[in-house]
Amino acid sequence: MQIKMVGVLGCGLMGSGIAQVCAAAGYTTIVRELDETFLNKGLGRVKKFLDDGVAKGKVTAEARDTTLANLSGTTSIAALKDCDLIIEAIIENLEEKRTTYAALEHVVGAHTIFLSNTSSLCITELAAATKRPDRFGGLHFFNPVPLMKLVEVIRALTTSDETYQAVFAFAGSLGKEPITAPDRPGFIVNRLLVPYLLDAIRAYENGLGTIEDIDKGMKLGCGYPMGPFTLLDFVGLDTTYYIANIMFEEFREPAYAPPPLLKRMVLAGRMGRKSGRGFYTYETK
Ligand code: 3HC
């Protein structure tokens, strides 16, 4: 099938990045947010990233202008009516997603593929909430979306071969490297990353070393771009806590159980970079 027009639901950190890479790849892209304030914030993030890219010599002024010309924002679901493929990147809440898919079903064509960028919910359960379980799948991007090369393609139990192949090819057309991940909590990357992050917190609580030394150890000793605490702050402590709980509920293995310190930091509002404080303190703009 030919994909020309792409819709993105949600213009937060992930949604704005996803919309940006779709527009940069030449797709006519419409991103939908609930209100103008969130929409303008998300579109502003895209523009800033592209302007910074031009200033760094990583993006040409022409590529920036073409990307911005391919991208438009809306607060209306009906504006997505001509989209061939829609990527949902809204809040991680099953009911919100169900309601959004139901509204979309009324406006889009029968051929339209729905994809979710969820990092924690069951793709088969989301697919079952639609009238197109065969034209539904998971497409999981990584933060920061424009820089991270990987995308996980997840098949629901009901995803057709045709949809899976079209989605895999679409992911490649974005300049990303797709891998096929199973519809299990954590898919491939978070299945391995989350226990590592949780273990770093447990090790710190048990006196292994300072936050700075553990981070320095993993960064310089293993060549990771960020140590575990810098990465926890980057991903968001609330997000990590949420994913860990879902993984623990499914697998019932201690490796996925959120450590007490993580829970308390979330309860205290220390979510990481986005709240100005996590394991480190950040200047809020
Ligand atoms: N436009 C174009 N290119 C840009 C750019 C811009 N605005 N800003 C930066 N870049 C380029 C840089 O030029 C550089 O390119 P180079 O490697 O060719 O020189 C590259 O991007 C890296 O940028 P910086 O040098 O400014 O920054 P860092 O080297 O510190 O890298 C980072 C930043 C990419 C975020 C790196 O620290 C990193 O990879 N961190 C780990 C991130 C990670 O693990 N993400 C996954 C989280 S898990 C997740 O998302 C799943 C979810 O479900 C939880």
Side-chain angles (χ1 to χ4, degrees):
M1 73 168 292
Q2 236 209 331
I3 294 159
K4 285 189 186 150
M5 193 177 281
V6 174
V8 179
L9 292 163
C11 198
L13 201 59
M14 297 304 283
S16 61
I18 295 168
Q20 179 184 324
V21 297
C22 294
Y27 295 103
T28 302
T29 306
I30 309 178
V31 57
R32 189 252 178 180
E33 244 310 343
L34 290 174
D35 71 37
E36 293 284 344
T37 312
F38 287 131
L39 182 62
N40 291 334
K41 198 172 169 199
L43 291 174
R45 196 180 298 121
V46 173
K47 183 158 187 324
K48 180 175 183 323
F49 188 94
L50 292 169
D51 285 341
D52 287 352
V54 172
K56 287 179 179 171
K58 289 279 171 176
V59 179
T60 64
E62 193 192 358
R64 173 196 57 197
D65 296 345
T66 309
T67 301
L68 292 174
N70 285 342
L71 181 61
S72 60
T74 182
T75 54
S76 133
I77 284 270
L80 274 64
K81 68 180 172 48
D82 295 323
C83 291
D84 305 301
L85 181 148
I86 295 176
I87 307 166
E88 168 272 306
I90 67 167
I91 185 172
E92 291 282 68
N93 176 297
L94 186 59
E95 269 324 299
E96 291 284 339
K97 291 190 197 279
R98 275 201 182 122
T99 310
T100 308
Y101 300 153
L104 267 181
E105 300 267 16
H106 289 296
V107 299
V108 298
H111 74 289
T112 306
I113 294 175
F114 286 8
L115 300 171
S116 179
N117 176 58
T118 184
S119 54
S120 52
L121 299 174
C122 171
I123 302 298
T124 301
E125 189 174 12
L126 294 177
T130 70
K131 293 197 180 87
R132 58 190 73 220
D134 56 324
R135 280 149 290 146
F136 194 102
L139 194 62
H140 185 223
F141 291 82
F142 293 83
N143 182 25
V145 177
L147 298 184
M148 304 307 281
K149 293 293 283 180
L150 188 79
V151 177
E152 290 176 313
V153 178
I154 303 109
R155 287 183 86 147
L157 214 54
T158 48
T159 309
S160 69
D161 286 345
E162 194 190 1
T163 301
Y164 164 70
Q165 276 150 18
V167 174
F168 203 86
F170 171 74
S173 77
L174 299 178
K176 301 291 183 195
E177 290 288 340
I179 57 173
T180 304
D183 181 20
R184 286 189 219 136
F187 310 132
I188 289 178
V189 173
N190 283 337
R191 159 75 180 71
L192 297 173
L193 177 66
V194 171
Y196 157 70
L197 296 176
L198 301 179
D199 203 35
I201 302 173
R202 273 190 273 273
Y204 166 69
E205 283 191 285
N206 290 336
L208 185 71
T210 63
I211 284 169
E212 290 78 6
D213 278 352
I214 296 173
D215 264 1
K216 195 187 269 186
M218 295 313 290
K219 190 175 168 182
L220 302 185
C222 296
Y224 290 3
M226 293 173 164
F229 296 102
T230 308
L231 186 54
L232 277 157
D233 280 359
F234 184 73
V235 168
L237 271 58
D238 52 339
T239 305
T240 309
Y241 181 61
Y242 186 76
I243 299 174
N245 272 315
I246 289 191
M247 290 173 78
F248 183 67
E249 259 172 48
E250 179 99 25
F251 297 121
R252 299 280 166 191
E253 283 177 25
Y256 307 113
L261 177 62
L262 177 62
K263 177 175 173 179
R264 278 150 187 79
M265 288 181 73
V266 172
L267 290 173
R270 295 184 191 172
M271 309 298 188
R273 270 193 204 198
K274 63 183 161 193
S275 71
R277 186 163 177 189
F279 287 101
Y280 296 95
T281 305
Y282 304 86
E283 275 178 38
T284 40
K285 286 175 198 153

